[in-house]
Amino acid sequence: MASVKMPQLGESITEGTISKWLKQPGDQVKKYEALVEVITDKVNAEVPAPLAGVLKEIKVKEGTTVTVGTEIAVIEETAVASSQAPTPTLPRERGREHEPAAIPEEGQIGQAFSSAPAEQPQGSQSAEGRTRLSPAVRALIEEHRITDAELGRIEGSGVGGRISKKDVEDFIGRRAQPVAANGEQRQAAVTAPGPGTETRVPLTPMRRAIASNMQKSKQTIPHAWTVAEVDMTNVVRFRHQVKDSFKQRESVDLTFVPIIVKAVVEGLKAVPVLNASWSDDGVVLHKDINIGVAVAVDDGLIVPVVHQADRMSIAGLAKSIDDLARRARATKLTIPDVQGATFTVNNPGTFGTILSYSIIAPPQAGILAMDSIVKRPVVLDGDAIAIRSMMNLCLSFDHRVLDGVSAARFLQGVRRWLEGFSDQIPLY
């Protein structure tokens, strides 16, 4: 027997939710074949089987959230179908297509899975399973002031009856829905002290992860920021001239984002200390320039990564960013799509902002926010006044990694590149 455990699906990810089992007990599975679909705060991913055999038992039901390393299934290492009756499980969800599972590189399988004797089947809840709570679960219990008596009424769905975040969140939802006189549950607002009422919306995994990451960033990184005003008139003119032919040729829109990302890449080449991470042993300079591009989704913000952006043209960046944004909004990103960013570009200007200060995504050393491009009168050389397309760029940087002079040098380099834009700069 081989134990299949919840893998580490990315940096800083500590748990995942079983969305759908793609195989059922008694089914034969091939090595690296998609076994289960898992949802994390960053992506939906298909976890491959670590070996060929027969799926003997499913340990964690669909909809359950468990921590990394938790046993979720058992595979019998044989190509012969087991004659033993399968353990009852939840029925498969229908109507959803699945992309082929990514094949892990050699050496990664051991990190995601390990072979061990199967633990006791999930059935009766053990006292140990109820008392061994993860830090995330304990924090949720304290936040919602769940008493010991209430905790005793929470049925743990994890291995050995262990209580997961999903179990606690479900309990909180039920607690906010008192039973009416006719026996049916009705939605009730949480009454706040004083006049009026408030409705508490339970945190989703993504919202909770964003809150945790941002709090960690502000608590551990000494943020500093600087702003540059950029004349985007030449860029606006160029885009207006080529956007229709580019859309016809490439089937994607040429937005301002890939052009600014190109400027950022050139700026990072000139000031490589910003393409870096802080460590207690020293500043880590990254050879590749991997740009994270923030994408707004229904539940928050996700940052897919354009890997080796320094090797791409403006057209290549446009196509890559468009692909990542589409897949982000369709929850089709893979684990590599959200890993490895060395610098981030945020675009709040698409919502009409004129000056935005962004929080750095650890362990990166900086993030650049681009705001709205607006026409306004500007004094030019010779005291002439003209209507120009202006935009603010705000750079937030880790003051441990670099000082203000390096940050300003980077930002002014980006500004000069954009203001000097012309049709002589290659699109491809």
Side-chain angles (χ1 to χ4, degrees), residues 127-139:
E128 181 183 16
R130 302 194 61 79
T131 57
R132 290 179 57 220
L133 303 175
S134 69
V137 172
R138 289 189 182 278

Side-chain angles (χ1 to χ4, degrees), residues 77-356:
E77 300 175 66
T78 173
V80 180
S82 173
S83 58
Q84 187 175 348
T87 303
T89 59
L90 294 179
R92 291 191 182 190
E93 179 185 355
R94 299 186 179 183
R96 288 188 62 182
E97 296 180 351
H98 296 274
E99 300 174 355
I103 298 179
E105 297 178 0
E106 186 176 359
Q108 292 180 334
I109 297 298
Q111 299 173 7
F113 308 93
S114 62
S115 298
E119 298 179 8
Q120 64 179 12
Q122 180 181 337
S124 61
Q125 297 182 0
S126 67
E128 181 183 16
R130 302 194 61 79
T131 57
R132 290 179 57 220
L133 303 175
S134 69
V137 172
R138 289 189 182 278
L140 191 60
I141 290 171
E142 292 176 2
E143 177 185 348
H144 291 275
R145 299 181 180 179
I146 296 175
T147 65
D148 290 342
E150 289 176 319
L151 185 62
R153 298 201 300 269
I154 300 178
E155 182 178 356
S157 60
V159 176
R162 189 171 184 176
I163 296 175
S164 68
K165 280 180 59 178
K166 182 67 163 52
D167 299 328
V168 178
E169 290 170 348
D170 289 345
F171 174 80
I172 293 169
R174 292 193 301 271
R175 188 169 65 173
Q177 293 178 318
V179 179
N182 60 3
E184 296 180 353
Q185 285 190 330
R186 58 182 175 84
Q187 185 68 38
V190 178
T191 304
T197 60
E198 297 176 350
T199 300
R200 179 178 290 118
V201 179
L203 297 177
T204 63
M206 177 178 287
R207 190 73 259 161
R208 188 175 295 278
I210 291 173
S212 176
N213 291 338
M214 294 300 96
Q215 183 178 22
K216 176 183 176 182
S217 177
K218 292 295 288 185
Q219 288 177 341
T220 60
I221 297 177
H223 282 62
W225 58 280
T226 183
V227 178
E229 188 179 53
V230 183
D231 187 341
M232 293 287 288
T233 303
N234 291 342
V235 174
V236 171
R237 183 182 299 117
F238 172 81
R239 176 180 176 271
H240 180 74
Q241 292 172 350
V242 304
K243 64 178 183 179
D244 291 338
S245 59
F246 185 86
K247 177 65 178 291
Q248 184 177 10
R249 186 167 55 250
E250 304 294 345
S251 299
V252 299
D253 291 321
L254 179 61
T255 67
F256 292 108
V257 176
I259 298 175
I260 293 175
V261 169
K262 185 66 174 178
V264 166
V265 166
E266 297 303 318
L268 292 175
K269 288 179 181 178
V271 186
V273 71
L274 197 51
N275 192 54
S277 301
W278 170 263
S279 77
D280 291 335
D281 297 327
V283 175
V284 180
L285 299 177
H286 302 295
K287 181 179 179 181
D288 290 334
I289 297 178
N290 303 326
I291 304 296
V293 180
V295 177
V297 294
D298 290 341
D299 194 31
L301 198 71
I302 193 166
V303 186
V305 183
V306 180
H307 292 274
Q308 297 182 328
D310 49 318
R311 302 185 183 184
M312 295 185 183
S313 63
I314 294 175
L317 290 169
K319 289 186 285 187
S320 179
I321 292 170
D322 180 83
D323 171 64
L324 289 169
R326 289 178 184 275
R327 289 193 288 120
R329 296 185 179 108
T331 65
K332 293 294 184 181
L333 291 174
T334 63
I335 294 300
D337 288 331
V338 295
Q339 289 184 331
T342 59
F343 188 87
T344 294
V345 172
N346 189 16
N347 183 24
T350 190
F351 302 106
T353 63
I354 58 172
L355 183 58
S356 303

